[in-house]
């Protein structure tokens, strides 16, 4: 039986202070198969290499994100369809990574309107979106990396909406935030939109 190669495909996330929604990074493939087509960053897992190391390498080398701008990473799901890669059977371990402020040649796109991607990467993006929505507010490294140490409630709404695909109920979201260990509502209020009331500011306590 032909042995499968093990690859890493990464959903690299960006949610900057001025971004209305979280986006993920893609880039044109420089070689076959699917030369010139857009794809998630991916690499073959090296001998003795840990998953997190390979994920960071993929984001750095394929998207051009500086190593210092790559934050926490985590594992999402495995795609094992034998014919997903025309070069032969390839097992894809899908990871998430959060990127901080940086400049890169990558294209950053919304989960609501992804372009056609190479391989089965559109299926990966669809699956990743649902899984990330489930991890949000439950995985502190992911949530804190996306929102920062402090954030107004409107940012929480924007982030949740971009992952869920629908706007969350404000009361339910406030209850969720209040129930997270290490997250506290401060006395500060911050205006984030030209109209409307200033939003409550939440803050993570303790070190990252």
């Amino acid at each position: 039986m032909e042995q499968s190669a093990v690859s890493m495909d990464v959903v690299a996330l960006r949610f900057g202070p001025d971004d209305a929604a979280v986006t993920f990074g893609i880039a044109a493939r420089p070689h076959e198969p699917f030369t010139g087509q857009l794809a998630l960053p991916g690499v073959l897992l090296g001998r003795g290499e840990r998953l997190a190391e390979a994920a960071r390498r993929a984001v750095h080398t394929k998207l051009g994100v500086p190593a210092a701008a790559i934050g926490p990473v985590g594992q999402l799901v495995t795609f094992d369809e034998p014919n997903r890669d025309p070069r032969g059977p390839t097992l894809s371990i899908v990871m998430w990574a959060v990127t901080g402020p940086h400049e890169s040649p990558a294209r950053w796109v919304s989960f609501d309107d992804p372009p056609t991607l190479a391989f089965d990467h559109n299926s990966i993006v669809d699956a990743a979106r649902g899984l990330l929505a489930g991890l949000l507010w439950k995985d502190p490294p992911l949530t804190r990396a996306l929102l920062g140490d402090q954030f107004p409630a409107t940012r929480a709404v924007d982030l949740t909406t971009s992952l869920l695909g629908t706007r969350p109920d404000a009361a339910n979201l406030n209850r969720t935030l209040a129930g997270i260990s290490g997250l506290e509502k401060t006395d500060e209020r911050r205006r984030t939109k030209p109209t409307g009331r200033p939003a409550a500011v939440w803050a993570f306590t303790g070190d990252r």
Side-chain angles (χ1 to χ4, degrees):
M1 180 179 295
E2 186 177 2
Q3 186 174 359
S4 296
V6 178
S7 67
M8 309 293 301
D9 291 306
V10 187
V11 181
L13 306 169
R14 186 172 72 174
F15 188 54
D18 299 323
D19 294 336
V22 65
T23 54
F24 63 92
I26 53 178
R29 287 181 53 79
H31 49 70
E32 291 290 348
F34 307 114
T35 303
Q37 291 191 31
L38 295 167
L40 296 171
V43 295
L44 290 176
L45 185 67
R47 184 181 297 274
E49 189 176 33
R50 304 297 296 269
L51 299 185
E53 294 172 350
R56 291 174 184 276
R57 177 166 62 87
V59 175
H60 176 57
T61 60
K62 298 302 178 69
L63 297 183
V65 176
I70 304 171
V73 301
Q75 188 173 347
L76 280 174
V77 66
T78 299
F79 274 63
D80 63 353
E81 205 287 314
N83 298 314
R84 59 178 304 275
D85 190 323
R87 293 167 294 188
T90 304
L91 186 73
S92 172
I93 300 175
V94 182
M95 305 285 285
W96 60 262
V98 178
T99 65
H102 69 276
E103 293 185 3
S104 73
R107 179 175 168 186
W108 298 86
V109 297
S110 165
F111 283 97
D112 285 334
D113 191 27
T116 299
L117 302 176
F119 301 103
D120 55 353
H121 288 188
N122 284 96
S123 296
I124 288 177
V125 168
D126 287 342
R129 183 181 193 177
L131 292 168
L132 288 165
L135 288 175
L136 187 64
W137 315 122
K138 296 177 182 177
D139 187 314
L142 170 67
T143 304
R144 192 166 181 175
L146 287 169
L147 286 167
D149 293 337
Q150 292 189 351
F151 59 91
T154 49
R155 290 280 287 166
V157 172
D158 289 343
L159 177 58
T160 305
T161 301
S162 62
L163 289 178
L164 281 177
T166 57
R167 189 177 179 85
D169 178 79
N172 288 340
L173 181 58
N174 280 330
R175 282 192 289 271
T176 297
L177 297 178
I180 296 174
S181 177
L183 182 63
E184 296 180 354
K185 189 176 183 179
T186 72
D187 294 330
E188 181 186 354
R189 300 189 74 84
R190 190 179 304 167
R191 186 178 297 278
T192 59
K193 301 186 187 220
T195 60
R197 295 181 301 173
V201 174
W202 294 79
F204 287 99
T205 59
D207 297 332
R208 285 179 178 265

